[in-house]
Amino acid sequence: MLPTLVNAHIHPDKTTWGGPWVSRRPATDIAGYSEQDAELFRSQGRSVAERARGLMSHAVTRGTRAMRAHADVAPAYDLACVEGVAAVRQQLRHALDVEIVAFPQHGVIRTPGTAELLDEAARTGTIDMIGGIDPIGFDNALDEQLDLLFDLADLHALGIDIHLHDRGEASMEALRAVIDRTRALSLQGKVTVSHVFCLPTSRPANSTRSPPSWASSTSP
């Protein structure tokens, strides 16, 4: 009788749900967290599917009926994370609608082999969206990353979901580049930019008003 819950941003391949507690070490950047993700993947005795099923099944029992699941794609995992989450999607198809994003947490260009894995994931028909991450601040390859992502999305009729953690002008430049490619390929409604930490401090070009005081906070 009520609208169902939608989890629009979840990484079920990274969970240790149902197993021993795992604490992250302090990290200063995305690369540091990504390396810990790879260490966690190597250390787990349970498969991605087993761990993800525990978390996703629990979400169903609490009223979640749809989710967008980001699954890491990188040479450290090959396509194991995508395949594991896809297996759970099949098992829970009676209760949960799942969109799968092939997510290049380790970078698209900076980590050799990732671009080829994204292409392979797209060709399998398993995924619904191609992911991206900080094309300037992390990948240092704005045009190369975005051209690849949008070409794959256009070729395989997929959506796009880009994680944008950068702040300042670099982030705004990336955001404008995403908008330009979205319009050029008529992908309106199929492209998402997640996090977008630059928005609280942005203002229209013709505005002289300063950002609000809370916008200077560094909290997520």
Side-chain angles (χ1 to χ4, degrees):
M1 296 181 65
L2 296 173
T4 60
L5 300 179
V6 175
N7 189 327
H9 191 125
I10 187 171
H11 294 259
D13 59 317
K14 301 179 189 290
T15 188
T16 58
W17 191 271
W21 178 264
V22 176
S23 295
R24 282 190 179 272
R25 302 186 305 275
T28 59
D29 54 20
I30 294 172
Y33 284 119
S34 299
E35 180 53 38
Q36 290 189 47
D37 289 337
E39 291 174 8
L40 178 67
F41 176 81
R42 293 191 294 267
S43 69
Q44 288 295 302
R46 299 180 297 152
S47 67
V48 171
E50 184 178 355
R51 291 184 285 114
R53 182 169 59 249
L55 178 62
M56 294 164 72
S57 297
H58 180 75
V60 170
T61 68
R62 296 301 184 267
T64 299
R65 291 293 177 267
M67 61 175 53
R68 178 174 292 180
H70 299 263
D72 280 8
V73 170
Y77 321 108
D78 198 63
L79 295 182
C81 297
V82 166
E83 292 167 349
V85 174
V88 180
R89 174 173 64 181
Q90 178 66 15
Q91 294 164 0
L92 298 179
R93 64 188 185 280
H94 61 287
L96 186 65
D97 294 329
V98 180
E99 289 182 341
I100 298 178
V101 183
F103 180 57
Q105 177 76 70
H106 294 228
V108 178
I109 307 303
R110 66 181 282 154
T111 303
T114 300
E116 290 78 9
L117 287 171
L118 289 174
D119 179 67
E120 183 180 348
R123 292 179 185 277
T124 64
T126 304
I127 63 173
D128 304 283
M129 310 191 83
I130 291 285
I133 184 168
D134 296 315
I136 296 178
F138 186 57
D139 232 12
N140 195 29
L142 174 65
D143 291 330
E144 193 173 356
Q145 181 189 136
L146 294 185
D147 286 349
L148 173 69
L149 301 185
F150 277 84
D151 284 349
L152 287 174
D154 187 41
L155 179 62
H156 298 284
L158 298 170
I160 293 176
D161 194 319
I162 298 174
H163 288 34
L164 192 57
H165 310 95
D166 287 340
R167 302 172 190 268
E169 182 53 34
S171 188
M172 294 304 296
E173 181 182 354
L175 191 57
R176 286 190 290 266
V178 169
I179 292 170
D180 289 344
R181 285 167 172 80
T182 299
R183 288 172 172 165
L185 293 174
S186 299
L187 291 177
Q188 290 91 334
K190 297 182 179 180
V191 177
T192 300
V193 182
S194 303
H195 304 305
V196 207
F197 292 166
C198 64
L199 285 183
T201 56
S202 68
R203 59 180 184 267
N206 60 352
S207 173
T208 58
R209 187 173 60 182
S210 299
S213 59
W214 54 262
S216 62
S217 170
T218 57
S219 301

